[in-house]
Each structure stands twice: as C-alpha cells, then as structure tokens.
Amino acid sequence: MNYAQLQQSWPKFNQRITHFLHQLGLADLALKCDHCALRVNSKEKAELLVDAFEQAGQVISNNMINGRPILIIKLHTPMQLNGASVPCVELPFPSDKVYPQEGWEHIELVLPTTATTCEALISDLSRKVPSITAIIEGKTDIKVKLSSPQGDNERLANPTVAFKKDGICIKVHPHSIETIIASEQ
C-alpha cells in the first residue's frame, strides 16, 4: 500500500464508511469527523507513507501509544468524506498484529458530550440514537469495542466506542484529536 494507492482507494472507502454511518444511525447526527486512519503491516511502508504525508501536510503529533509510534498529520487540503472535511490522518506504525487488509481502516467522530467514561459516552450516544442500543448490546453482527486510549502526555479523558464490520470501523469519542494534542502541551 503506497500513497497513490491510498488516494485511489479513498472513494470506495468513503462509500463503504458512509453506508456504515447510515447503518449505525449516525449519519443524521452530522458529527464532525476529526480524522481518518489507515493500517499497514510493515515499518518500511509506514516510513514511506510518513514521507508522502509530510508533502501533503504537517505532522502535529508523534506519540508512543500502546508501545508504538502513532503520527497525526494535519493535511494542507482536508480529505472529503460525504461532503464533510476530514482535516487529519492517523498513521500508526504496525504492532505485532498483522492486518488482513492494508489501507484505510477507520474514521473517528466527535460526539459533543462531557462524558469521561465509556459508560457515560454510551449513555449519551444511546440517547441521541436509541437504535444503537441493540448494536451495543451485541444483538447484531457489528462488533463493539470500548476503550480509553491515552498518549503519554494526554490530560483529557477521551473514552471511545468503536463499531466494526467488514474490515472498516467507526469510532466515536468526545474530543477531537486536535483538542487532545493541545492538551498535551
């Protein structure tokens, strides 16, 4: 997976993720997509992508998270997702896990809330989208994962609920990646 292949695969990913947004009932909320993320299986591919993305934007964060570097690149020209701007790309270096498919993997949405725990986030999300409760309770084929990822210097709680299906993922959290990065300063 190289930079040109990523650019070429964006429209198909955009279509799949938009369909998934509708399936989850999140499309009508018009939540801000603060970043998209990709997956690669080799350090060499990640390094080549860093070089390419540095031409398209600026690295605004390079943190160790769960034992591996994860870069956030703020793009000079945001990506477009169903007509909305996506200002940043998350480029994680590979861990021990091998991904079945390299390329675009997920988007992250900001749900305006004061939630500081996954339970509070789920409660707020379920109030806004009651139909998502069945998904969270495991009554569908959509996998749900709760987490509270944190970089070494983060000062804001940013609980996350992730919805996964067919090799793509949509994550929802209270704070944008740029707000989290600012909290580290």
Side-chain angles (χ1 to χ4, degrees):
M1 177 63 54
N2 62 36
Y3 186 75
Q5 290 169 320
L6 276 176
Q7 296 304 322
Q8 291 167 356
S9 66
W10 181 258
K12 183 176 180 183
F13 176 75
N14 187 339
Q15 183 180 36
R16 291 180 66 216
I17 213 81
T18 299
H19 176 74
F20 195 28
L21 278 167
H22 285 281
Q23 187 177 7
L24 292 170
L26 297 174
D28 293 339
L29 293 182
L31 300 176
K32 178 185 172 195
C33 179
D34 66 331
H35 70 283
C36 54
L38 54 106
R39 296 289 184 247
V40 293
N41 287 325
S42 78
K43 183 179 175 187
E44 295 75 26
K45 285 182 185 175
E47 288 170 347
L48 289 172
L49 286 172
V50 169
D51 292 342
F53 274 115
E54 284 180 329
Q55 302 304 309
Q58 176 185 0
V59 175
I60 59 172
S61 177
N62 183 350
N63 265 340
M64 291 296 285
I65 300 175
N66 297 328
R68 63 185 172 146
I70 296 185
L71 281 68
I72 304 297
I73 300 102
K74 183 163 186 172
L75 302 169
H76 299 309
T77 303
M79 310 268 304
Q80 294 299 304
L81 178 71
N82 199 24
S85 291
V86 182
C88 297
V89 172
E90 174 185 327
L91 173 56
F93 274 64
S95 62
D96 296 336
K97 181 177 179 180
V98 175
Y99 295 95
Q101 181 179 327
E102 293 181 299
W104 300 113
E105 193 247 4
H106 73 261
I107 64 168
E108 299 201 20
L109 304 174
V110 178
L111 177 70
T113 175
T114 58
T116 58
T117 65
C118 290
E119 293 74 20
L121 178 62
I122 287 171
S123 178
D124 289 350
L125 185 58
S126 295
R127 270 196 294 283
K128 292 187 181 297
V129 185
S131 61
I132 212 160
T133 302
I135 296 168
I136 291 169
E137 291 174 349
K139 297 178 180 174
T140 70
D141 61 344
I142 297 169
K143 292 181 179 163
V144 179
K145 180 181 176 187
L146 306 177
S147 64
S148 295
Q150 192 166 12
D152 293 342
N153 299 314
E154 282 179 26
R155 288 169 177 59
L156 279 177
N158 205 25
T160 302
V161 58
F163 302 96
K164 295 181 180 189
K165 183 177 181 182
D166 298 330
I168 59 173
C169 177
I170 295 174
K171 297 183 179 187
V172 179
H173 49 77
H175 301 290
S176 74
I177 193 68
E178 291 186 79
T179 300
I180 294 298
I181 291 167
S183 81
E184 299 172 345
Q185 306 307 316

